[in-house]
C-alpha cells in the first residue's frame, strides 16, 4: 500500500509540474509580404454581387437550396469575409450572366448604381461546377488456387469534378473594371470493379472530393492573393521564478522591450539562485534583441552558454544569429 501511495503522489507531482508552465511565447511579425494582387489603397469599401448562372437554375428559397447553391453561397461569403477592406457587404444576387460562360462586363453607367455606395464592386461572373464519369470495359488477369491464369470481365471508371469561377472588380471612381480573377481547379479519381454499380459506389465513398472541397480551395487561393501575408516567429520567455522574472515577463508580454532590458540589466545582479539567474538572463537576451540591441543579445547569449552550459542559450544564440 505504501508503494502505491508513493507512486500515486509521484504522479500527482508530475502532473502538477506539467500544468505549471515556467515559460510563455509571444508571436513576432518578422515581415509583411505584399499581396500578389493588391486592392488599390483608395478602395475602403466593397460590395459583392453574384451574377453567375447554373445549368439547372437556382433557388431563392433557403429551404429549397441545392448542394450547389449552398456551396456557391458559402464560397461567396468566404471571399466576402476575406476582403482586406473595412466595409464589405453582399448584395442580393442578380443572376444575369450566361450558362456555361462568363457574364458580360457591367456597363460603366451601371457600375455605381449596382455598387450602391461602395468604393468598388466585386462581381462573381461565373460559377461553373462540372462532374463527369466515364467507364471502360476491361479484362483483369486472375490466378486460381492452383496458380493457373484466367481472365474476368471488369469495369474501370474515372470521376472528374471541376470548378471554374471568374470574378471582376470594378472601381466606382472610374466606373471601370480594374482587376479580374479567373480560377479553376479539378480532382480526378480512378477505380476498378466487377460492375459499374460497384465502381460508382467506390467513387461515392472513397476519397470523395466534393464541390465544397474545391470551392474552399479556390476561396483560400483568392484571399491569399489579395491580402498581405505575415511571416511570424515564436519566441519563448520565462514567466515564473522570483519577482524580477515575473515583472520582466509582464513587460515582454506587452512588447515593452526597452524597459524590460533596462530593468533586467540592473536587477540580475540581485539574483543569487543560479536557476532564477539563468531565467532572468534568458529574458534579458530576448529583451536586448527586440530592443534593437542584437550584438549585445548575441554576446550575452554566448557568454551565458559558456558559463552555464545550458543548451537553451545556444539555441537562442543560433536563432538570433540566423536572422
Amino acid at each position: 500500500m505504501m508503494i502505491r501511495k508513493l507512486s500515486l503522489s509521484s504522479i500527482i507531482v508530475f502532473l502538477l509540474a506539467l500544468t505549471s508552465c515556467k515559460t510563455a511565447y509571444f508571436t513576432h511579425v518578422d515581415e509583411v509580404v505584399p499581396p500578389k494582387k493588391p486592392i488599390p489603397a483608395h478602395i475602403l469599401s466593397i460590395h459583392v454581387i453574384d451574377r453567375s448562372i447554373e445549368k439547372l437554375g437556382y433557388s431563392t428559397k433557403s429551404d429549397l437550396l441545392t448542394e450547389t447553391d449552398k456551396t456557391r453561397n458559402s464560397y461567396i461569403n468566404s471571399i466576402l469575409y476575406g476582403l482586406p477592406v473595412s466595409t464589405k457587404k453582399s448584395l442580393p444576387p442578380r443572376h444575369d450572366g450566361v450558362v456555361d460562360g462568363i457574364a458580360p462586363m457591367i456597363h460603366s453607367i451601371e457600375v455605381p448604381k449596382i455598387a450602391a455606395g461602395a468604393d468598388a464592386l466585386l462581381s462573381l461572373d461565373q460559377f461553373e461546377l462540372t462532374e463527369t464519369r466515364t467507364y471502360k470495359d476491361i479484362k483483369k488477369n486472375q490466378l486460381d488456387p492452383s496458380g493457373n491464369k484466367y481472365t474476368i470481365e471488369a469495369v474501370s471508371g474515372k470521376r472528374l469534378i471541376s470548378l471554374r469561377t471568374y470574378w471582376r472588380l470594378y472601381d466606382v471612381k472610374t466606373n471601370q473594371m480594374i482587376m479580374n480573377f479567373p480560377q479553376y481547379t479539378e480532382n480526378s479519381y480512378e477505380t476498378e470493379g466487377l460492375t459499374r454499380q460497384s465502381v460508382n459506389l467506390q467513387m461515392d465513398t472513397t476519397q470523395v472530393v466534393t464541390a465544397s472541397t474545391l470551392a474552399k480551395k479556390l476561396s483560400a487561393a483568392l484571399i491569399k492573393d489579395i491580402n498581405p501575408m505575415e511571416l511570424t516567429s515564436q519566441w519563448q520567455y520565462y514567466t515564473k521564478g522570483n519577482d524580477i522574472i515575473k515583472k520582466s515577463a509582464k513587460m515582454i508580454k506587452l512588447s515593452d522591450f526597452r524597459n524590460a532590458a533596462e530593468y533586467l540589466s540592473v536587477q540580475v545582479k540581485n539574483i543569487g539562485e543560479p536557476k532564477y539567474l539563468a531565467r532572468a538572463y534568458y529574458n534579458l537576451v530576448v529583451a536586448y534583441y527586440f530592443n534593437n540591441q542584437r550584438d549585445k543579445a548575441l554576446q550575452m547569449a554566448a557568454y551565458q552558454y559558456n558559463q552555464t552550459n545550458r543548451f537553451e542559450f545556444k539555441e537562442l544564440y543560433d536563432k538570433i544569429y540566423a536572422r
Side-chain angles (χ1 to χ4, degrees):
M1 289 299 292
M2 180 59 70
I3 294 176
R4 286 187 179 182
K5 286 182 180 179
L6 290 174
S7 178
L8 181 59
S9 64
S10 299
I11 293 172
I12 293 172
V13 170
F14 175 72
L15 291 175
L16 286 173
L18 286 179
T19 56
S20 57
C21 295
K22 300 173 296 190
T23 61
Y25 290 84
F26 69 89
T27 301
H28 180 260
V29 178
D30 301 325
E31 182 183 356
V32 178
V33 181
K36 292 181 181 179
K37 299 181 178 181
I39 304 295
H42 70 274
I43 294 178
L44 303 178
S45 60
I46 297 178
H47 285 173
V48 178
I49 192 164
D50 179 16
R51 300 178 63 214
S52 65
I53 291 287
E54 291 184 36
K55 296 178 183 179
L56 302 178
Y58 54 90
S59 174
T60 57
K61 297 180 179 179
S62 59
D63 57 336
L64 297 177
L65 291 178
T66 65
E67 287 304 312
T68 303
D69 289 329
K70 295 175 183 176
T71 298
R72 184 184 64 252
N73 292 343
S74 178
Y75 169 71
I76 293 171
N77 287 332
S78 179
I79 298 295
L80 175 69
Y81 295 134
L83 292 174
V85 293
S86 55
T87 304
K88 43 202 169 185
K89 184 175 76 173
S90 182
L91 300 173
R94 289 171 67 95
H95 295 302
D96 58 351
V98 295
V99 177
D100 292 335
I102 303 170
M105 286 183 59
I106 299 174
H107 195 280
S108 59
I109 298 176
E110 296 295 320
V111 170
K113 297 179 183 177
I114 300 173
D119 296 329
L121 177 70
L122 182 62
S123 173
L124 176 60
D125 292 346
Q126 184 181 28
F127 187 89
E128 186 179 323
L129 176 68
T130 305
E131 180 178 341
T132 59
R133 297 190 180 196
T134 55
Y135 308 91
K136 182 180 179 181
D137 293 329
I138 61 172
K139 295 183 182 294
K140 291 182 67 69
N141 293 322
Q142 304 288 316
L143 291 176
D144 63 18
S146 301
N148 299 315
K149 292 183 179 180
Y150 68 98
T151 60
I152 60 171
E153 302 291 331
V155 177
S156 68
K158 179 179 180 180
R159 174 183 182 261
L160 178 66
I161 180 171
S162 66
L163 178 60
R164 187 184 302 276
T165 66
Y166 194 95
W167 293 87
R168 290 189 178 106
L169 181 67
Y170 296 87
D171 187 350
V172 174
K173 187 176 181 180
T174 61
N175 295 342
Q176 301 296 320
M177 183 194 77
I178 57 172
M179 301 176 74
N180 62 342
F181 306 94
Q183 292 189 293
Y184 177 81
T185 187
E186 66 177 35
N187 178 265
S188 177
Y189 176 66
E190 297 184 41
T191 187
E192 296 177 354
L194 295 179
T195 64
R196 184 171 294 195
Q197 182 179 10
S198 65
V199 168
N200 278 330
L201 181 62
Q202 290 185 62
M203 289 181 180
D204 291 335
T205 58
T206 306
Q207 297 182 348
V208 177
V209 173
T210 64
S212 178
T213 309
L214 299 182
K216 288 177 181 177
K217 180 180 178 181
L218 291 186
S219 64
L222 196 154
I223 290 169
K224 182 179 179 182
D225 284 347
I226 63 177
N227 280 276
M229 181 174 63
E230 293 184 344
L231 302 181
T232 63
S233 57
Q234 297 290 317
W235 293 81
Q236 177 181 261
Y237 62 98
Y238 280 97
T239 59
K240 293 191 177 181
N242 57 21
D243 291 340
I244 296 173
I245 295 170
K246 292 176 183 178
K247 186 172 181 178
S248 70
K250 290 179 181 178
M251 295 177 185
I252 292 174
K253 183 179 180 180
L254 295 173
S255 299
D256 187 5
F257 301 111
R258 182 178 66 84
N259 282 327
E262 292 178 357
Y263 174 74
L264 284 169
S265 62
V266 174
Q267 295 298 326
V268 287
K269 302 169 186 177
N270 300 322
I271 302 176
E273 170 63 41
K275 179 173 65 174
Y276 293 160
L277 185 62
R279 293 181 188 180
Y281 272 118
Y282 189 96
N283 284 5
L284 182 54
V285 173
V286 173
Y288 273 150
Y289 175 63
F290 285 102
N291 192 42
N292 297 319
Q293 295 173 280
R294 180 175 181 273
D295 290 343
K296 212 166 187 178
L298 288 172
Q299 290 171 9
M300 180 161 290
Y303 179 79
Q304 288 300 317
Y305 176 61
N306 291 330
Q307 289 293 110
T308 66
N309 204 32
R310 290 171 70 106
F311 191 69
E312 60 182 352
F313 283 108
K314 183 179 186 306
E315 290 181 320
L316 186 56
Y317 178 93
D318 291 342
K319 187 174 184 177
I320 294 173
Y321 184 81
R323 309 178 82 75

